[in-house]
Amino acid sequence: PAPVGYYPLLGGKVVDYICGLARVAEFMGTTQPAEVEQSEIGDGNMNLVFICRGPKGAVIVKQALPYVRCVGEGWPLTMERARFEYMALAEEYKHCPQFTPEVYHFDPTLGALVMRYIEPPHIILRQGLIKGYTYSTLAADVATFLARTLFLTSALHLTAPELRQRVAVWSANREMCALTEQVIFTDPYMIREDRNRWTSPQLDAAVARIRGDTQLKLAVAVLKEKFMTSTQALLHGDLHTGSIMVKDGSTFCIDPEFAFYGPMGFDTGAIIANLLLASCSQPGHATAAEPRAAYADWILDQMVALYTGFEQEFLALWSHEANRKGDHTPQGHFAAGPELGLAQSQFMGRLFSDTLGFAGAKMIRRIIGIAHVEDMESIKDPEQRAACERHALAIAHMLVKEPGSFASIADVAALARDQP
Amino acid sequence: PAPVGYYPLLGGKVVDYICGLARVAEFMGTTQPAEVEQSEIGDGNMNLVFICRGPKGAVIVKQALPYVRCVGEGWPLTMERARFEYMALAEEYKHCPQFTPEVYHFDPTLGALVMRYIEPPHIILRQGLIKGYTYSTLAADVATFLARTLFLTSALHLTAPELRQRVAVWSANREMCALTEQVIFTDPYMIREDRNRWTSPQLDAAVARIRGDTQLKLAVAVLKEKFMTSTQALLHGDLHTGSIMVKDGSTFCIDPEFAFYGPMGFDTGAIIANLLLASCSQPGHATAAEPRAAYADWILDQMVALYTGFEQEFLALWSHEANRKGDHTPQGHFAAGPELGLAQSQFMGRLFSDTLGFAGAKMIRRIIGIAHVEDMESIKDPEQRAACERHALAIAHMLVKEPGSFASIADVAALARDQP
Ligand SMILES: Nc1ncnc2c1ncn2[C@@H]1O[C@H](COP(=O)(O)OP(=O)(O)O)[C@@H](O)[C@H]1O
Ligand SMILES: Nc1ncnc2c1ncn2[C@@H]1O[C@H](COP(=O)(O)OP(=O)(O)O)[C@@H](O)[C@H]1O
Ligand SMILES: [Mg+2]
Ligand SMILES: [Mg+2]
Ligand SMILES: [Mg+2]
Ligand SMILES: [Mg+2]
Ligand SMILES: [Mg+2]
């Protein structure tokens, strides 16, 4: 599936490649390969990520591999995802330049993007949460990112024909969507030992209960259908804490190769799920010197601040006349003021319910599916890890099966605090 | 917006045109223009429809006009709809050849389709219902058409990537969708005297009540969002009683130029709405010799039989192993038998609720919006017409605002019978 002319930029080839790009050479301060240092820092399974550093500065080169790396060439993966990542970064940069790495160059043949290097001390948020770091603007920044990218790409802001035109384009990222459908909504609920794993034997009974929980599976089926057939907004599509880079006061969302037109709650749910997993994992990272109980609470506070901030900013965009150009709720349909407010509440209520459902489904798959999270995986003692995972599973069950029992995101935090 | 080379096939040009098409000439039994009679029989605003009759047989030529005919060139309309009508007829013919006119030829430059002539005594169903005719297979035939076209084009039968590929294609029929969005979901709820009309002054108060009914408008907003952002199945898109041709024992669905990937309930709701309108209009067609009360009941019986049959056939398709290839409810996710049965009930329950909502919205727009139905329009006495329309509006209110109060389609028939 690789285009003619494709080659991996390994073995130093990345340096020759980018020295040939005038705009990129400018950022590095040289066109001389000898003056550029490179290293591959990718931590994923599907892509190569290089830092290239010249005398003046560094850039990142991200290149798609035509197969899933850990499995080898036996699991091919569309190279087109690089183009979608490029398009998504461009769209996100338009709405949120402060939270999106600027793309300097895209090469369709190589499936490669050259982009801004998000410099240290930025680290991946998941690592920060494992280390116990706090970030003063994280919640507000992600709230803004979500509110702007979701609102401004939806029919709340666009005409229906504009929306359908975009849906046509993004529907082509269907192979990446299929991967998501399989790993989140399908495999965890089936007996597929090659694709599922969990802390065993500690969670064996819990997994059996999930597979036999008809009400849970019915709720997941509705979420899956929504994922497959709802085109509310352009989603990041993979917005977990491993796709966010942070230092105090600065936040970037990276890696939108799964972007597509889908239900908004899938993106908001992704970050909620990963914050809950991070919070539930804290007992596993506690030491006598650093008990982590207060930190687990801090993460829940961030979750509440993030979703509350998201709702506020989303509604602020919606209430601003200039943004209400979309066909969803045309001017004149609802009288401004209380009547529009009711339409907004109705929409936000449904979005909250979707958010909780998708969050729960994502938590479950990270505990019993193929791809786990380091927050839990890095807990060495299996009894301790299983206890954290059980706590997370109990919350997830409620989120998926009883979203209506939560009046607000604060109720979710309360449940997470209550649980043993 | 017409392609280079486009010309309307008026003034006899249609004859020269089809005599040049070998396959079509075969149906007519001649290639000689002198042996072909033509007449324009189109009753719509946007297309020309010709019958061309040769010594052996007749064919229909349907040609898109680049503007809405009644308004003139001031309201241009995409010619691409002819291509979508062609594609939709091809897809429907694949699933239901017995209910779909075969297309013999498609000409993208002229926006013209040549298709099977549905011969007399077939007439448009709406005319039959105004005349008081009965049809013994109508309900079963439309049930089958809906079950097969909706199921077989959805993720119940297709993989998610197959679905997304089709969504990409059909999203391009966005101008036709925009027309639907405007006339069904937007204009009727706004003050737009150029685009709305109703039996006045009789219905003035009812219309004012609709415009001020916040709960109704909130429910319509949810339906509109579903229309804009749900891609469950390939819909006919305009399946009212004017798009069905019938004689006793034979049924054809024509005119799918509005086809797109949308929520299934929009198609099922269209036919339910138009049967309810037909039933409610019967007092206006009654005479001493032909009281029509029993006939109004018969129409409601057809509605019940149609929707019940639809549900049965849809579920039969779903329960047939060979059809369950779709990603929606994969084999192994739900144990066959009672567990799959619950997933199916859940799906059918949501579809029923959508059906009622869309049916109600369509009834409202046919009474207070731009395009009315002949069932009501042909009632000369405005008092009598207003009474029929009020009855329909009362049902529509319930369908849109309280779909949950109907346990089955029989409850809808009961409500229609109860009302004064
Ligand atoms: N623009 C960037 N600046 C700095 N580091 C980056 C940048 N993009 C990616 N990285 C690093 O590379 C890792 C993998 O990148 P990512 O885009 O998440 O690839 P993948 O799709 O393979 O997960 C990230 O976790 C991060 O550590
Ligand atoms: N295949 C056909 N056989 C016989 N009559 C047809 C056929 N197609 C259309 N007609 C007649 O032409 C009329 C208009 O066709 P239709 O496809 O509904 O056009 P429009 O999109 O303009 O409504 C129909 O109501 C019907 O009377
Ligand atoms: Mg990843
Ligand atoms: Mg990543
Ligand atoms: Mg990635
Ligand atoms: Mg028609
Ligand atoms: Mg038509």
Side-chain angles (χ1 to χ4, degrees):
Chain A
V4 180
Y6 174 85
Y7 59 95
L9 292 167
L10 290 163
K13 292 203 191 73
V14 69
V15 173
D16 291 325
Y17 175 68
I18 58 163
C19 284
L21 304 171
R23 180 156 181 235
V24 175
E26 215 181 280
F27 284 98
M28 297 191 301
T30 182
T31 56
Q32 301 304 312
E35 295 183 320
V36 176
E37 274 181 28
Q38 64 91 18
S39 59
E40 210 265 297
I41 58 161
D43 56 4
N45 287 319
M46 315 185 322
N47 304 292
L48 301 169
V49 178
F50 304 92
I51 303 187
C52 298
R53 192 183 306 276
K56 196 174 129 199
V59 297
I60 289 284
V61 180
K62 178 171 179 180
Q63 182 179 33
L65 290 166
Y67 47 82
V68 178
R69 189 144 69 155
C70 62
V71 184
E73 311 209 1
W75 187 354
L77 201 63
T78 174
M79 294 285 301
E80 277 295 277
R81 69 188 188 277
R83 187 166 62 86
F84 290 108
E85 179 160 356
Y86 161 64
M87 285 164 45
L89 285 169
E91 180 84 20
E92 289 163 0
Y93 189 81
K94 207 169 84 185
H95 305 307
C96 294
Q98 71 278 42
F99 306 131
T100 309
E102 189 179 357
V103 178
Y104 304 134
H105 185 76
F106 170 59
D107 188 319
T109 304
L110 297 183
L113 294 106
V114 187
M115 68 181 117
R116 172 182 165 161
Y117 173 49
I118 302 166
E119 72 293 342
H122 285 97
I123 58 170
I124 288 289
L125 173 57
R126 194 185 300 287
Q127 303 304 332
L129 297 174
I130 292 170
K131 294 201 162 81
Y133 297 169
T134 62
Y135 299 97
S136 56
T137 65
L138 171 67
D141 292 350
V142 179
T144 302
F145 179 84
L146 283 168
R148 293 185 62 81
T149 57
L150 297 181
F151 181 91
L152 295 170
T153 62
S154 78
L156 293 164
H157 182 65
L158 303 172
T159 66
E162 284 167 347
L163 182 80
R164 292 190 194 276
Q165 196 154 19
R166 284 150 172 265
V167 167
V169 170
W170 290 95
S171 291
N173 205 12
R174 57 184 179 269
E175 283 192 47
M176 298 303 276
C177 289
L179 205 58
T180 304
E181 285 146 8
Q182 182 176 350
V183 298
I184 300 184
F185 301 107
T186 306
D187 287 345
Y189 304 93
M190 318 225 300
I191 295 165
R192 290 212 50 172
E193 301 318 345
D194 55 326
R195 313 256 318 172
N196 292 319
R197 63 189 179 84
W198 55 85
T199 303
S200 181
Q202 288 83 355
L203 294 190
D204 290 0
V207 172
R209 261 199 309 281
I210 287 172
R211 299 254 176 81
D213 187 337
T214 305
Q215 290 309 317
L216 178 74
K217 291 192 289 179
L218 289 172
V220 171
V222 173
L223 293 166
K224 185 182 186 186
E225 182 182 314
K226 239 171 228 178
F227 183 88
M228 292 194 298
T229 67
S230 162
T231 60
Q232 273 187 322
L234 179 61
L235 308 189
H236 178 285
D238 196 25
L239 198 58
H240 53 75
T241 48
S243 296
I244 299 177
M245 295 190 71
V246 274
K247 69 173 186 185
D248 192 54
S250 172
T251 309
F252 286 90
C253 299
I254 63 169
D255 195 11
E257 63 190 330
F258 285 87
F260 75 112
Y261 260 82
M264 295 182 183
F266 188 79
D267 263 9
T268 48
I271 186 69
I272 299 296
N274 279 270
L275 291 176
L276 285 169
L277 287 168
S279 181
C280 291
S281 77
Q282 292 305 319
H285 305 300
T287 59
E290 209 193 324
R292 293 286 182 112
Y295 187 64
D297 253 17
W298 178 85
I299 297 176
L300 296 177
D301 289 341
Q302 299 316 299
M303 174 184 78
V304 173
L306 190 161
Y307 198 80
T308 309
F310 161 72
E311 286 185 319
Q312 279 165 2
E313 289 203 52
F314 193 95
L315 285 172
L317 286 166
W318 194 346
S319 297
H320 191 58
E321 286 289 291
N323 289 324
R324 269 186 79 198
K325 297 179 298 188
D327 278 328
H328 184 279
T329 322
Q331 315 265 3
H333 200 126
F334 292 105
E339 211 184 29
L340 177 61
L342 286 171
Q344 291 175 328
S345 300
Q346 169 177 267
F347 185 91
M348 299 312 283
R350 296 164 78 230
L351 175 50
F352 180 57
S353 173
D354 285 359
T355 299
L356 300 186
F358 284 119
K362 275 161 175 277
M363 293 171 77
I364 291 172
R365 77 98 164 196
R366 290 296 192 184
I367 297 172
I368 74 168
I370 192 168
H372 288 220
V373 289
E374 211 179 319
D375 315 65
M376 297 293 186
E377 294 297 287
S378 59
I379 303 171
K380 295 264 161 55
D381 174 17
E383 292 298 337
Q384 174 95 71
R385 185 168 68 245
C388 296
E389 290 174 330
R390 265 193 216 100
H391 181 193
L393 281 180
I395 299 168
H397 269 268
M398 285 294 293
L399 296 178
V400 174
K401 288 166 72 173
E402 315 273 3
S405 70
F406 299 91
S408 76
I409 190 72
D411 286 353
V412 179
L415 173 70
R417 287 190 176 106
D418 269 6
Q419 290 272 341
Chain B
V4 179
Y6 174 85
Y7 60 95
L9 292 167
L10 291 163
K13 293 204 189 73
V14 69
V15 172
D16 291 324
Y17 174 68
I18 58 163
C19 285
L21 305 171
R23 183 162 178 230
V24 174
E26 216 181 282
F27 284 98
M28 296 190 301
T30 182
T31 55
Q32 300 305 313
E35 295 184 318
V36 176
E37 273 182 27
Q38 64 90 19
S39 59
E40 211 265 296
I41 58 162
D43 54 4
N45 287 321
M46 317 184 323
N47 304 291
L48 301 170
V49 178
F50 303 93
I51 302 188
C52 298
R53 193 185 306 275
K56 196 174 130 198
V59 298
I60 289 284
V61 180
K62 178 171 178 180
Q63 183 180 32
L65 290 165
Y67 47 83
V68 178
R69 191 145 65 152
C70 61
V71 185
E73 311 208 2
W75 187 354
L77 201 62
T78 174
M79 293 286 300
E80 277 295 277
R81 70 188 188 279
R83 188 166 61 84
F84 290 108
E85 179 161 357
Y86 161 64
M87 285 165 44
L89 285 170
E91 180 84 21
E92 290 163 358
Y93 190 81
K94 209 169 80 184
H95 304 308
C96 294
Q98 71 276 44
F99 306 131
T100 309
E102 189 180 355
V103 178
Y104 304 133
H105 184 77
F106 170 60
D107 188 318
T109 305
L110 296 184
L113 296 105
V114 187
M115 70 181 115
R116 172 181 166 162
Y117 173 49
I118 302 167
E119 73 292 344
H122 285 98
I123 59 171
I124 288 289
L125 173 58
R126 193 185 300 287
Q127 303 304 332
L129 296 174
I130 292 169
K131 293 200 162 79
Y133 298 169
T134 61
Y135 299 96
S136 55
T137 65
L138 171 68
D141 292 349
V142 178
T144 302
F145 180 84
L146 283 168
R148 292 187 62 81
T149 57
L150 298 180
F151 181 91
L152 295 170
T153 62
S154 78
L156 293 165
H157 181 64
L158 303 172
T159 67
E162 284 167 347
L163 182 81
R164 292 190 195 277
Q165 196 155 18
R166 283 149 173 266
V167 168
V169 170
W170 290 94
S171 291
N173 206 12
R174 58 184 179 269
E175 281 192 49
M176 296 302 277
C177 289
L179 205 57
T180 304
E181 285 146 9
Q182 183 176 349
V183 298
I184 299 184
F185 300 107
T186 307
D187 287 344
Y189 303 93
M190 317 225 300
I191 295 166
R192 290 212 50 174
E193 300 319 344
D194 54 329
R195 314 256 319 172
N196 293 320
R197 65 189 179 82
W198 56 85
T199 302
S200 182
Q202 287 82 355
L203 295 188
D204 290 0
V207 172
R209 262 198 309 281
I210 287 172
R211 300 253 176 80
D213 187 337
T214 305
Q215 291 310 316
L216 179 75
K217 290 192 288 179
L218 289 172
V220 170
V222 173
L223 292 166
K224 185 181 186 185
E225 182 183 314
K226 238 171 230 179
F227 183 89
M228 293 193 299
T229 68
S230 163
T231 60
Q232 274 188 321
L234 178 61
L235 307 189
H236 177 285
D238 197 24
L239 197 59
H240 53 77
T241 48
S243 295
I244 299 178
M245 294 190 73
V246 275
K247 68 172 186 186
D248 192 53
S250 171
T251 309
F252 286 89
C253 299
I254 64 170
D255 195 11
E257 65 192 327
F258 285 89
F260 75 112
Y261 260 84
M264 294 182 184
F266 187 78
D267 263 9
T268 48
I271 185 69
I272 298 296
N274 280 270
L275 291 176
L276 285 169
L277 288 167
S279 181
C280 291
S281 76
Q282 292 304 321
H285 305 302
T287 60
E290 209 194 324
R292 292 283 182 113
Y295 187 65
D297 253 18
W298 177 85
I299 297 176
L300 296 176
D301 290 341
Q302 300 315 299
M303 174 185 79
V304 173
L306 190 161
Y307 197 79
T308 309
F310 161 72
E311 286 186 317
Q312 279 165 3
E313 289 204 51
F314 193 96
L315 285 171
L317 286 165
W318 193 347
S319 297
H320 191 57
E321 286 289 292
N323 289 323
R324 268 186 77 198
K325 298 179 298 190
D327 278 329
H328 184 279
T329 321
Q331 314 266 4
H333 201 125
F334 292 104
E339 212 185 28
L340 177 61
L342 287 170
Q344 292 175 328
S345 298
Q346 168 177 266
F347 184 90
M348 298 312 284
R350 297 164 77 230
L351 174 49
F352 181 57
S353 173
D354 285 359
T355 299
L356 300 186
F358 285 119
K362 275 162 174 274
M363 292 170 77
I364 291 172
R365 77 99 162 193
R366 291 296 192 183
I367 297 172
I368 75 168
I370 191 169
H372 289 220
V373 289
E374 212 180 316
D375 315 64
M376 297 292 186
E377 294 297 287
S378 58
I379 303 170
K380 297 263 161 56
D381 173 19
E383 291 299 336
Q384 172 96 72
R385 184 168 68 245
C388 296
E389 289 173 332
R390 268 195 213 98
H391 181 193
L393 281 180
I395 299 168
H397 269 269
M398 285 294 293
L399 295 178
V400 173
K401 289 167 71 175
E402 315 274 3
S405 71
F406 299 90
S408 75
I409 190 71
D411 286 354
V412 179
L415 173 70
R417 287 189 176 106
D418 271 5
Q419 290 273 338

